[in-house]
Amino acid sequence: MKFPYPSTMMLVLLLAFLCFESLPHVMAQSSSNKEAKALDAILQQYAYKALANPKTGTVYNATQLPSNLTGVKVAALRLRSGSLRRKGFDMYNEFEIPNGLIVSPYVERLVFVYQNLGKLSNKYYPLPNYTYLAPVLGLLAYDAANLSATNLSELDVNASGDNILVKFQDVKSVPHGTVAKCVWFDLQGSSNFSNVKGGNTCSTSQQGHFSIVVKSNGAPGPVSPTPHNHGKGEKKSSKKVWIIVGSVVGGLLLLVLLSFLVLCINKYKQKKKMQGMERAADSGETLQMASVGETKAPAATVTRTQPTLEHEYAP
Ligand SMILES: *[C@@H]1O[C@H](CO)[C@@H](O)[C@H](O)[C@H]1NC(C)=O
Ligand SMILES: *[C@@H]1O[C@H](CO)[C@@H](O)[C@H](O)[C@H]1NC(C)=O
Ligand SMILES: *[C@@H]1O[C@H](CO)[C@@H](O)[C@H](O)[C@H]1NC(C)=O
Ligand SMILES: *[C@@H]1O[C@H](CO)[C@@H](O)[C@H](O)[C@H]1NC(C)=O
Ligand SMILES: *[C@@H]1O[C@H](CO)[C@@H](O)[C@H](O)[C@H]1NC(C)=O
Ligand SMILES: *[C@@H]1O[C@H](CO)[C@@H](O)[C@H](O)[C@H]1NC(C)=O
Ligand SMILES: *[C@@H]1O[C@H](CO)[C@@H](O)[C@H](O)[C@H]1NC(C)=O
């Protein structure tokens, strides 16, 4: 019963290894929202820095973003929430903010942080099987009470009347045979799709991140030459998942087969041993170790006492 353990151990180790191997992949998928949230926090800081002695109702662009955020645009707009509710704000870059927005919890003033993620859209908001026709734009509301505050959480914003409109500039042309869709990422990172109006406008009752996308064609002929290799990566990783699943199932099957083999061998040995002992008993010989095979049963000189048989069944 000794010999199967090394191979069983190896299988267990193999399974454990495969589990660990698949872990980073799973984590990478769920971490994309974490990265996006971390980016929101960084951009909030840069936006607030632009608000030194701010005039209410004036848009301030953030400057001096770090080099790893080149191409990202950030701005800040401070408003009184009463004025926001009564008048809205006509055109904050691409955003047309109507009256009737309700901000909760109540704050006297709030800051709308504007984000344009440019080339980093795909990195922070990966959308498998879709191609971005416009950069991801963000609109997030924070309390303006302390302009040095960091790590703020967003206020709730809800349109009680008209929706906020996002009028994208320079939308890439829609590839033939596809339909452009608005995509909205809420603060938890969930995406939701809606129809594009007037070729470039999306509508929303809440804050978050927005863009215009088309389904990318799975066929080799790429729909657009834009930097978008996400589909490919997704396919590769799904292949990897199948390899892992296959290995695990295969490993389990092997384990079952091995167990059967072990059982058979044991049965066979037992039978042999019994036969050997019976023979020995019949001939009155002393039993030799060798006659029992590799099993190191205390080869009995005693006759019919069937040495350590129960013990052999213990796993
Ligand atoms: C701020 O940036 C926007 C583009 O994001 C630009 O249109 C605007 O002119 C800039 N404003 C200032 C004051 O630089
Ligand atoms: C950008 O680089 C800085 C260091 O220069 C680093 O602290 C920060 O995490 C990086 N940000 C992103 C979004 O990669
Ligand atoms: C992407 O498309 C492929 C094939 O068209 C499909 O198998 C896969 O499930 C899709 N992925 C997502 C996340 O929808
Ligand atoms: C504003 O926030 C900063 C950073 O969190 C903190 O150090 C400072 O005490 C706060 N000021 C007020 C008036 O709360
Ligand atoms: C930011 O705030 C969250 C809770 O709102 C907290 O879990 C996290 O540790 C904070 N991060 C930093 C860098 O202060
Ligand atoms: C937003 O307001 C509408 C009514 O004005 C309400 O039905 C809806 O539940 C609110 N949504 C949220 C997320 O607060
Ligand atoms: C997401 O979109 C679907 C229709 O596309 C809609 O029924 C649903 O209410 C939306 N979810 C949210 C949270 O807006």
Side-chain angles (χ1 to χ4, degrees):
M1 200 62 183
K2 274 238 162 64
F3 96 92
Y5 280 120
S7 27
T8 313
M9 277 293 274
M10 262 170 62
L11 265 170
V12 168
L13 280 177
L14 186 73
L15 288 177
F17 170 74
L18 282 170
C19 274
F20 274 110
E21 178 73 1
S22 63
L23 256 181
H25 180 74
V26 171
M27 276 157 74
Q29 275 181 343
S30 64
S31 79
S32 114
N33 181 237
K34 266 198 192 136
E35 278 175 35
K37 296 297 281 182
L39 182 68
D40 285 347
I42 292 169
L43 297 183
Q44 178 258 316
Q45 268 176 268
Y46 280 102
Y48 271 48
K49 268 190 206 156
L51 289 173
N53 305 316
K55 272 200 226 153
T56 297
T58 302
V59 176
Y60 294 88
N61 287 344
T63 50
Q64 294 163 344
L65 287 173
S67 61
N68 52 10
L69 294 177
T70 301
V72 173
K73 288 180 197 149
V74 181
L77 166 67
R78 190 177 65 160
L79 295 170
R80 291 182 163 274
S81 60
S83 145
L84 172 68
R85 188 164 183 172
R86 281 194 315 276
K87 298 194 286 191
F89 192 89
D90 195 24
M91 294 328 276
Y92 176 20
N93 295 336
E94 290 91 340
F95 290 93
E96 187 178 307
I97 301 172
N99 59 15
L101 279 198
I102 296 166
V103 174
S104 64
Y106 174 80
V107 293
E108 194 190 342
R109 287 185 244 233
L110 72 152
V111 173
F112 271 123
V113 170
Y114 163 88
Q115 309 176 354
N116 178 332
L117 298 188
K119 283 183 200 134
L120 298 185
S121 299
N122 239 326
K123 178 171 183 233
Y124 287 96
Y125 292 91
L127 203 54
N129 295 347
Y130 287 90
T131 303
Y132 281 112
L133 297 182
V136 168
L137 304 180
L139 183 71
L140 301 172
Y142 300 95
D143 188 357
N146 182 354
L147 294 179
S148 340
T150 56
N151 200 22
L152 285 173
S153 50
E154 294 85 3
L155 300 165
D156 263 336
V157 173
N158 192 11
S160 67
D162 292 339
N163 275 350
I164 299 169
L165 299 181
V166 195
K167 296 186 169 167
F168 290 89
Q169 292 155 7
D170 308 323
V171 181
K172 284 186 200 121
S173 60
V174 179
H176 187 70
T178 61
V179 177
K181 283 278 182 187
C182 293
V183 61
W184 163 54
F185 298 93
D186 67 15
L187 296 178
Q188 285 72 45
S190 317
S191 53
N192 210 345
F193 297 91
S194 60
N195 292 329
V196 180
K197 287 167 194 140
N200 73 334
T201 303
C202 296
S203 160
T204 175
S205 65
Q206 289 174 52
Q207 62 192 325
H209 292 84
F210 309 90
S211 190
I212 294 181
V213 294
V214 283
K215 270 225 163 86
S216 35
N217 204 336
V223 182
S224 84
T226 47
H228 183 86
N229 49 16
H230 206 87
K232 240 182 199 168
E234 208 56 27
K235 243 175 232 166
K236 237 185 229 163
S237 64
S238 90
K239 211 175 197 175
K240 207 172 152 193
V241 166
W242 277 113
I243 288 173
I244 289 166
V245 168
S247 315
V248 170
V249 169
L252 282 174
L253 266 175
L254 208 65
L255 193 69
V256 169
L257 276 176
L258 252 164
S259 309
F260 268 112
L261 195 70
V262 166
L263 254 161
C264 282
I265 288 175
N266 255 28
K267 271 240 170 89
Y268 178 73
K269 275 187 189 165
Q270 221 108 61
K271 210 171 154 192
K272 268 236 150 155
K273 195 203 263 173
M274 290 294 289
Q275 279 174 354
M277 282 189 299
E278 260 156 35
R279 230 186 300 122
D282 287 347
S283 58
E285 275 175 32
T286 19
L287 209 56
Q288 298 297 315
M289 284 279 206
S291 71
V292 199
E294 281 131 44
T295 327
K296 293 209 171 161
T301 46
V302 197
T303 46
R304 303 240 170 213
T305 35
Q306 303 179 11
T308 64
L309 267 191
E310 302 91 323
H311 169 81
E312 291 284 331
Y313 278 108

